Amino acid sequence: MIQLSVIIVNYNSKFYLKSCLESVNDASRNLNVEIIVIDNDSSDGSYEFIILDFPQITWIQNSENLGFSKANNIAFKKSSGKYILFINPDVIVSQTALEELYVFSQNQQNLGAIGVRMTDEHGNYRLESKRNIPNPSNTFSKLFSYLKFFSKNIQSKGYYNVSISEYEIGKIEILTGAFFWVSGKVYEEAGGFDESYFMYGEDIDLSYTILRLGYQNYYYGKSTVVHYKGKSTVKNKQYYQRFFGAMKIFIKKYYSRPYYLYILLLTGLNVRYYLALTLDKLKKK
């Protein structure tokens, strides 16, 4: 029986991917694990670079960049594990993380999905490890957190969950797609990642969907992974369109009523989008 399927979407990240696969191998010595890499038409020679050192992995090659959600859904259909770990190629897994999460999963009733403590490469804790459901208030706090008025509210029930310490275990609402552990049964029941999202936001949507189905999401702060977040992401106009576009999809899907709040949120997103573009241009001058 396959206990865990590890699914990685790769796009021009061969060096990070190699380190990620090495860490997954080290962390899965006592588990029956299958590893599936689905490549979104990389041009950096990822397949040739990886396959000689990791001949045991299942490699799925796409002929175009299908985005994060669709690629993960394709890979899931090829998986056979009781649990599924969706993980970014720029993540390094600690040696005990997978076994700890497997044992924890086996002992939970009504388990939805699990996230862990994430740090950057310098050991700094990443707040996105545990988040709350986006709502009109915390969405504006997140979008305009650089303004004093909104930054004061970020420590309440805002965008990030601060009620649980970074090293604790507890129930939370929203996980990050960089490290998303879920049972295959629950993932299938939830319909997988919503393919309306090309990239960004799909993890929030799936976390929320799992909660709405009556399952419970958890944060497991006793395990830590390193996330080299955004190292291979070019922050250009396309990036900002996808990032803020993902937030628009979520708002249209869940907050279309009352109409005045819907318009207010969309207006805020548009303002923040143009501010981000302007600030980025100024930095490059």
Side-chain angles (χ1 to χ4, degrees), residues 3 14 16 18 121 233 282:
Q3 295 168 304
K14 64 181 183 181
Y16 288 110
K18 184 176 182 179
E121 62 270 35
T233 301
L282 289 174

Side-chain angles (χ1 to χ4, degrees), residues 68-113:
F68 185 81
S69 297
K70 192 167 186 177
N72 273 317
N73 288 342
I74 291 171
F76 172 73
K77 291 176 182 176
K78 301 288 186 180
S79 69
S80 54
K82 179 178 181 180
Y83 298 102
I84 312 294
L85 172 60
F86 298 99
I87 183 173
N88 281 11
D90 57 351
V91 168
I92 304 297
V93 180
S94 63
Q95 285 192 341
T96 60
L98 302 187
E99 288 184 49
E100 288 177 357
L101 289 182
Y102 183 79
V103 172
F104 180 78
S105 298
Q106 294 286 87
N107 293 323
Q108 299 308 309
Q109 297 289 331
N110 209 39
L111 176 69

Side-chain angles (χ1 to χ4, degrees), residues 167-187:
Y167 296 101
E168 282 185 312
I169 298 172
K171 297 177 180 180
I172 61 165
E173 294 172 342
I174 304 298
L175 311 176
T176 176
F179 188 102
F180 197 104
W181 176 293
V182 63
S183 79
K185 173 181 173 292
V186 171
Y187 186 78

Side-chain angles (χ1 to χ4, degrees), residues 53-281:
D53 289 333
F54 303 94
Q56 78 279 15
I57 69 174
T58 298
W59 187 281
I60 302 172
Q61 185 64 51
N62 292 328
S63 58
E64 61 181 305
N65 186 354
L66 299 177
F68 185 81
S69 297
K70 192 167 186 177
N72 273 317
N73 288 342
I74 291 171
F76 172 73
K77 291 176 182 176
K78 301 288 186 180
S79 69
S80 54
K82 179 178 181 180
Y83 298 102
I84 312 294
L85 172 60
F86 298 99
I87 183 173
N88 281 11
D90 57 351
V91 168
I92 304 297
V93 180
S94 63
Q95 285 192 341
T96 60
L98 302 187
E99 288 184 49
E100 288 177 357
L101 289 182
Y102 183 79
V103 172
F104 180 78
S105 298
Q106 294 286 87
N107 293 323
Q108 299 308 309
Q109 297 289 331
N110 209 39
L111 176 69
I114 309 173
V116 296
R117 178 179 179 268
M118 295 192 307
T119 71
D120 64 16
E121 62 270 35
H122 305 296
N124 300 309
Y125 174 65
R126 292 197 179 278
L127 288 171
E128 63 268 22
S129 301
K130 45 186 175 67
R131 294 175 286 177
N132 294 312
I133 296 170
N135 59 42
S137 176
N138 62 34
T139 296
F140 265 91
S141 294
K142 170 63 176 174
L143 286 173
F144 299 100
S145 58
Y146 62 93
L147 299 176
K148 289 183 179 180
F149 174 78
F150 290 106
S151 62
K152 289 179 181 177
N153 298 325
I154 205 165
Q155 296 301 321
S156 61
K157 188 171 180 180
Y159 187 78
Y160 300 114
N161 182 313
V162 296
S163 63
I164 303 169
S165 83
E166 60 180 286
Y167 296 101
E168 282 185 312
I169 298 172
K171 297 177 180 180
I172 61 165
E173 294 172 342
I174 304 298
L175 311 176
T176 176
F179 188 102
F180 197 104
W181 176 293
V182 63
S183 79
K185 173 181 173 292
V186 171
Y187 186 78
E188 193 163 25
E189 186 180 347
F193 286 110
D194 185 337
E195 295 180 12
S196 301
Y197 301 89
F198 183 87
M199 184 180 290
Y200 310 115
E202 68 290 310
D203 49 359
I204 298 174
D205 195 297
L206 181 57
S207 298
Y208 189 37
T209 299
I210 289 171
L211 291 176
R212 284 159 62 92
L213 287 171
Y215 296 101
Q216 179 60 61
N217 297 332
Y218 287 88
Y219 170 75
Y220 193 88
K222 290 186 177 181
S223 288
T224 299
V225 302
V226 177
H227 183 203
Y228 293 87
K229 181 180 177 182
K231 294 298 181 181
S232 59
T233 301
V234 178
K235 290 193 174 182
N236 53 20
K237 186 175 182 179
Q238 186 181 60
Y239 161 81
Y240 289 116
Q241 285 174 336
R242 287 174 176 169
F243 181 80
F244 290 105
M247 298 182 80
K248 285 183 181 180
I249 292 170
F250 188 87
I251 288 168
K252 289 177 180 178
K253 189 172 178 179
Y254 297 109
Y255 294 108
S256 59
R257 296 289 182 273
Y259 190 67
Y260 75 91
L261 274 180
Y262 170 70
I263 294 300
L264 183 64
L265 286 170
L266 288 185
T267 301
L269 282 173
N270 287 329
V271 170
R272 189 63 182 89
Y273 165 69
Y274 287 111
L275 278 173
L277 284 180
T278 302
L279 290 171
D280 193 52
K281 287 179 182 177

